[in-house]
Amino acid sequence: MTPASLDQIEIALLKGAGPAVVERCERLGLHSVQDLLFHLPLRYQDRTRITPLGSLRPGDEVMVEGYIRVADIIKGKRRSLLCKIQDGSGTLTLRFFHFSQAQRVALRSGELLRGFGEVRVGPNGLEMVHPEYKVLQADSPPADLSQALTAIYPATEGLTQARLRQLSDQALSMLQRRENALTDWVPAELLRQHRLCSLEEALLYLHRPPAGISQERLLSTTEPHRQRLVFEELLAHHLSLIKLRQQALRIDAPVLTGDQSLRQALLASLPFSLTNAQQRVVQEVAEDMNKSAPMLRLVQGDVGSGKTVVAALAALQAVESGFQAVMMAPTEILAEQHFHNFSRWLEPLGLKVAWLAGKLKGKARQQSLEAIASGEARVIVGTHALFQDDVSFAHLGLVIIDEQHRFGVHQRLALREKGMHQGKAPHQLIMTATPIPRTLAMVAYADLDCSVIDELPPGRTPIQTVVIADQRRDAVIERVRGACMAGRQAYWVCTLIEESEVLECQAAEATTEQLKEALPELKIGLVHGRMKATEKAAVMAEFKAGDLHLLVATTVIEVGVDVPNASVMIIENPERLGLAQLHQLRGRVGRGSVESFCVLMYHAPLSQQGKARLGVMRDSTDGFVIAEKDLELRGPGEVLGTRQTGLVQFRIADLSQDEHWLDAVHEAGDWVMRHRPDISEPLIRRWLGQAERYSQA
Ligand code: ADP
Ligand code: MG
């Protein structure tokens, strides 16, 4: 009989796992015995040895043993039971604020007590508050010490460490008892090549490390048993992206050659010619669309590098070939801006551009839906609303997604599903203004081909950035006055307070009032995230037309807004934002030919890291340099914005530490696909779950 594999054995089958425990395990994402095995300890306690009382240091978490000298109730500020123990080397006080009569009686002077807890400094020397303890029977043999270090697991309310340990004990003994119950999918060749141990060895070691190993060594990111799991996890993740790509390529896309007519007409109508970088990327995109394999291309380009026109040219190539193109953006403001640009560029060419967003209702929405379904709308711009069930395309040839990092992989796939037409899939073009360090791109976008617009249009003067404490707010206001009186326009950005949009908007309103008072000669407007889209649009239009000198804004202006005459930006409390976001914001100025200024007005005092980060902004305007530094300073989760998307979430790997694996993992991924394609599915299932998105791409 072949034993069931541990991922199929439910936790409910273990001893001590009643419905309540099972429910709490589920809360931690633990369903099977295999899940328990991959639920690694956060840290360890050493209950393998007894520390002499004389050598205790505050902060130690240790096992102690000593004879009880006295145990008394003290009626101080808080009634407490104090128990003093001693061994040959010193004494220690155990302090209990909550205790029963039975407890008190059992702590008799002369008895031998063993305790475990954290040592801290008390009013009369070292003490432990509420230690775990046991009074040892004098006539029975000495109680055993643990053979291994004690694991402390990530837990949840109502699920004790003791219960988690008892469950993982069972899981570990199943692992050891049953042959092949947990298959080690990583082939021996790869293990040898990278000098990695077996899966079983790694898990046993990490859950129950032998005595005598230091906590630091165990928790270090270079710990070899941990590295074994990191490698496997990164490999599984990489394989999932390879699969995703293979699946996407399995379905043909329409060949969209086009006759160049519309593209040439657009280029002729633009007041500028494309930069070399834009031309190169346009060419790469055009070649992809000219094939029957669907395009899967990511275009990275710094803020202001001119991605929109590249997208418009791709859309026109689809239209020239008789197909529709859709462009999706993550926010309404950004989508509106694209809609505006596309309409301005394409309507003179006789093309109808349709608009679809959540706020579009009633008759207008109906008209849009009809134009999209009939094919009358050749180019469609919108937000997530494009996913809705009643949206159907006539013959979609190209999907363009702006600001990819805010959409998950599955959303991208969903839009592709919608675009399926006569057994063919649309081409996909993904654009991001967040420069992604190469290493992260390898992880997050390994399923995509990549193009980079690495050149800004000519005639831009670099932005001067200064970092100033908010004590000098008055001087900053004077500077704004000067610039605006000289005919320039300025942004004043209020940043998020404790993740609260309401507070952020209130702060922006208050700031607007203060600035109106301080600068009566200026016309000042306000946009924030809680205004109606039409109100926002009206204020933006005024600012764009030059009717406002100063625009106070929340971070809603982050993406897309394009006002070339705006050349001054004040950012309040920039220390609250990520560098990528600051870079995006700052990219709103410096779009014209006049010299631009950005003032980062921080709230003193600034942390060491805060200083370093603002220093990066002052010293560089290169999005890639900034992104690399951001990655160094903050780690990959923040940089990619995983909080919004869940794009890359690892259970064990940590990209800021484990980055050195990436090349090896890429190689290993190719090796697996060539020699052992059979192991990719089980590895993906183990590490990424049964996520449907990978099975039906
Ligand atoms: P982003 O890459 O940030 O989306 P946009 O596409 O919004 O950049 O372009 C920024 C500004 O630069 C727009 O006003 C756009 O019309 C202009 N632009 C784009 N390409 C060029 C170019 N080759 N020469 C001059 N201006 C350009
Ligand atoms: Mg853009």
Side-chain angles (χ1 to χ4, degrees):
M1 192 188 88
T2 42
S5 76
L6 293 185
D7 62 329
Q8 282 156 11
I9 303 179
E10 286 173 21
I11 290 178
L13 294 173
L14 299 180
K15 249 185 288 158
V21 169
V22 167
E23 188 266 319
R24 283 160 196 158
C25 285
E26 305 256 321
R27 244 188 277 152
L28 291 172
L30 308 176
H31 313 285
S32 67
V33 170
Q34 173 180 288
D35 292 335
L36 277 174
L37 291 172
F38 286 109
H39 191 60
L40 292 186
L42 277 177
R43 60 191 183 87
Y44 302 89
Q45 289 173 344
D46 190 350
R47 295 164 188 260
T48 66
R49 59 200 165 94
I50 289 167
T51 307
L53 299 181
S55 60
L56 296 178
R57 290 163 313 181
D60 286 350
E61 202 180 22
V62 288
M63 188 92 115
V64 293
E65 211 174 89
Y67 289 95
I68 300 175
R69 252 179 47 195
V70 286
D72 269 331
I73 295 180
I74 303 297
K75 295 207 178 74
K77 232 188 302 167
R78 261 181 97 184
R79 205 171 90 100
S80 53
L81 170 62
L82 294 189
C83 171
K84 200 157 218 163
I85 61 170
Q86 70 174 37
D87 62 5
S89 68
T91 64
L92 176 71
T93 303
L94 312 181
R95 184 185 292 273
F96 302 87
F97 295 110
H98 313 280
F99 51 90
S100 64
Q101 181 60 18
Q103 236 178 327
R104 193 191 105 107
V105 170
L107 294 175
R108 269 193 307 267
S109 132
E111 299 274 18
L112 183 61
L113 177 146
R114 181 180 290 172
F116 182 88
E118 190 183 328
V119 180
R120 54 169 234 186
V121 181
N124 307 304
L126 295 179
E127 61 179 40
M128 277 184 185
V129 177
H130 284 273
E132 298 168 40
Y133 74 92
K134 196 155 58 180
V135 176
L136 304 175
Q137 271 2 89
D139 42 358
S140 60
D144 282 341
L145 290 166
S146 312
Q147 294 302 305
L149 297 180
T150 307
I152 304 294
Y153 293 99
T156 181
E157 207 178 317
L159 193 59
T160 62
Q161 289 298 330
R163 176 68 66 202
L164 277 167
R165 274 201 291 277
Q166 182 224 12
L167 294 175
S168 72
D169 271 337
Q170 297 176 67
L172 289 166
S173 65
M174 287 170 101
L175 172 67
Q176 287 173 284
R177 239 185 8 250
R178 297 208 194 181
E179 221 174 310
N180 293 332
L182 185 73
T183 312
D184 196 343
W185 296 110
V186 181
E189 287 95 322
L190 291 181
L191 293 181
R192 251 198 319 275
Q193 187 189 347
H194 298 291
R195 298 207 182 95
L196 297 169
C197 65
S198 74
L199 180 60
E200 181 175 325
E201 195 184 332
L203 291 173
L204 287 174
Y205 185 94
L206 291 170
H207 282 280
R208 301 288 179 266
I213 304 216
S214 76
Q215 175 104 239
E216 292 90 81
R217 232 175 87 197
L218 279 170
L219 296 179
S220 123
T221 47
T222 56
E223 204 293 314
H225 301 83
R226 184 174 299 272
Q227 288 292 305
R228 161 65 175 77
L229 299 181
V230 166
F231 177 79
E232 180 172 326
E233 180 171 36
L234 291 176
L235 177 61
H237 192 87
H238 187 63
L239 288 170
S240 78
L241 290 175
I242 294 181
K243 283 259 151 161
L244 209 57
R245 182 179 172 88
Q246 283 185 344
Q247 272 155 356
L249 292 176
R250 209 172 292 149
I251 303 172
D252 276 352
V255 175
L256 304 177
T257 310
D259 62 1
Q260 295 280 351
S261 57
L262 292 169
R263 281 172 281 173
Q264 274 164 8
L266 173 61
L267 288 172
S269 75
L270 291 175
F272 52 78
S273 50
L274 298 186
T275 62
N276 289 331
Q278 282 171 316
Q279 282 176 27
R280 190 186 66 241
V281 173
V282 164
Q283 191 55 32
E284 286 165 354
V285 170
E287 278 167 22
D288 283 356
M289 290 173 65
N290 197 9
K291 289 181 191 148
S292 61
M295 168 166 71
L296 296 168
R297 186 168 290 279
L298 175 73
V299 172
Q300 292 187 54
D302 211 341
V303 204
S305 61
K307 291 182 292 297
T308 319
V309 70
V310 172
L313 288 165
L316 288 180
Q317 184 170 341
V319 175
E320 282 167 10
S321 315
F323 282 79
Q324 290 170 301
V326 62
M327 170 119 163
M328 183 169 75
T331 66
E332 195 141 339
I333 284 205
L334 183 55
E336 267 169 33
Q337 172 123 350
H338 285 319
F339 175 63
H340 176 80
N341 278 329
F342 274 37
S343 304
R344 184 164 55 100
W345 287 338
L346 306 190
E347 270 167 12
L349 310 181
L351 297 179
K352 182 165 170 56
V353 181
W355 163 250
L356 196 70
K359 291 200 180 112
L360 194 68
K361 294 265 152 55
K363 198 155 162 249
R365 180 160 198 281
Q366 209 45 47
Q367 278 172 354
S368 263
L369 290 178
E370 275 161 24
I372 296 169
S374 71
E376 183 202 346
R378 315 301 300 276
V379 176
I380 302 105
V381 180
T383 60
H384 292 80
L386 292 162
F387 288 123
Q388 281 158 357
D389 282 342
D390 54 354
V391 181
S392 88
F393 296 93
H395 34 60
L396 188 60
L398 172 67
V399 170
I400 305 168
I401 298 181
D402 198 6
E403 298 290 331
Q404 150 77 3
H405 68 293
R406 300 207 182 182
F407 294 108
V409 174
H410 38 290
Q411 281 170 304
R412 177 151 61 82
L413 294 175
L415 198 53
R416 191 177 102 111
E417 284 301 293
K418 259 197 183 302
M420 289 295 293
H421 178 68
Q422 294 174 350
K424 298 204 171 183
H427 294 276
Q428 295 184 57
L429 182 63
I430 291 120
M431 311 206 299
T432 174
T434 308
I436 304 154
R438 188 191 74 97
T439 48
L440 278 193
M442 276 167 76
V443 172
Y445 300 122
D447 61 324
L448 303 174
D449 298 305
C450 202
S451 295
V452 185
I453 309 182
D454 51 6
E455 182 187 355
L456 291 180
R460 307 245 167 108
T461 17
I463 306 164
Q464 296 283 338
T465 298
V466 289
V467 179
I468 288 181
D470 58 4
Q471 285 106 328
R472 295 178 54 203
R473 192 184 180 90
D474 289 347
V476 171
I477 290 176
E478 279 317 306
R479 190 156 181 172
V480 170
R481 188 200 313 272
C484 290
M485 295 316 281
R488 301 192 188 185
Q489 289 172 281
Y491 295 102
W492 189 293
V493 183
C494 303
T495 51
L496 209 64
I497 300 165
E498 286 162 7
E499 307 286 306
S500 157
E501 200 191 16
V502 180
L503 288 181
E504 186 187 43
C505 296
Q506 284 171 355
E509 277 163 6
T511 303
T512 309
E513 290 315 307
Q514 286 161 11
L515 289 173
K516 277 183 175 166
E517 220 162 273
L519 299 166
E521 61 276 67
L522 300 188
K523 287 202 222 84
I524 301 177
L526 166 68
V527 280
H528 64 60
R530 292 167 61 84
M531 284 162 63
K532 286 210 192 81
T534 48
E535 291 170 0
K536 274 189 285 199
V539 177
M540 287 310 302
E542 269 187 276
F543 188 61
K544 218 163 172 160
D547 296 338
L548 295 172
H549 294 107
L550 178 61
L551 183 66
V552 181
T554 54
T555 46
V556 295
I557 61 155
E558 176 190 350
V559 274
V561 188
D562 192 25
V563 182
N565 190 47
S567 59
V568 177
M569 175 174 284
I570 317 299
I571 304 179
E572 282 202 70
N573 304 108
E575 68 275 11
R576 290 181 184 148
L577 300 181
L579 292 191
Q581 204 182 356
L582 281 173
H583 179 66
Q584 296 276 314
L585 274 174
R586 185 172 60 178
R588 301 305 117 210
V589 295
R591 299 201 151 203
S593 52
V594 292
E595 180 162 53
S596 295
F597 291 96
C598 176
V599 179
L600 301 176
M601 190 166 66
Y602 64 88
H603 185 65
L606 210 49
S607 71
Q608 210 51 36
Q609 203 211 41
K611 255 181 221 153
R613 295 173 61 235
L614 296 187
V616 171
M617 292 304 297
R618 183 190 51 226
D619 299 340
S620 179
T621 53
D622 181 329
F624 281 87
V625 171
I626 292 172
E628 293 280 357
K629 295 276 184 199
D630 206 16
L631 178 64
E632 255 169 54
L633 291 166
R634 287 199 311 160
E638 297 286 321
V639 176
L640 276 179
T642 48
R643 249 193 334 198
Q644 292 136 316
T645 62
L647 190 61
V648 201
Q649 261 165 4
F650 295 108
R651 286 201 247 166
I652 297 174
D654 172 356
L655 278 188
S656 57
Q657 319 277 350
D658 300 322
E659 203 190 300
H660 59 94
W661 274 119
L662 293 178
D663 284 317
V665 163
H666 262 231
E667 245 174 63
D670 292 342
W671 186 92
V672 167
M673 294 317 281
R674 233 175 310 126
H675 301 285
R676 293 293 308 279
D678 56 304
I679 64 168
S680 68
E681 273 308 323
L683 269 176
I684 292 169
R685 214 173 313 120
R686 171 176 292 168
W687 288 96
L688 290 98
Q690 274 87 353
E692 275 85 348
R693 57 188 168 135
Y694 292 102
S695 52
Q696 41 151 282

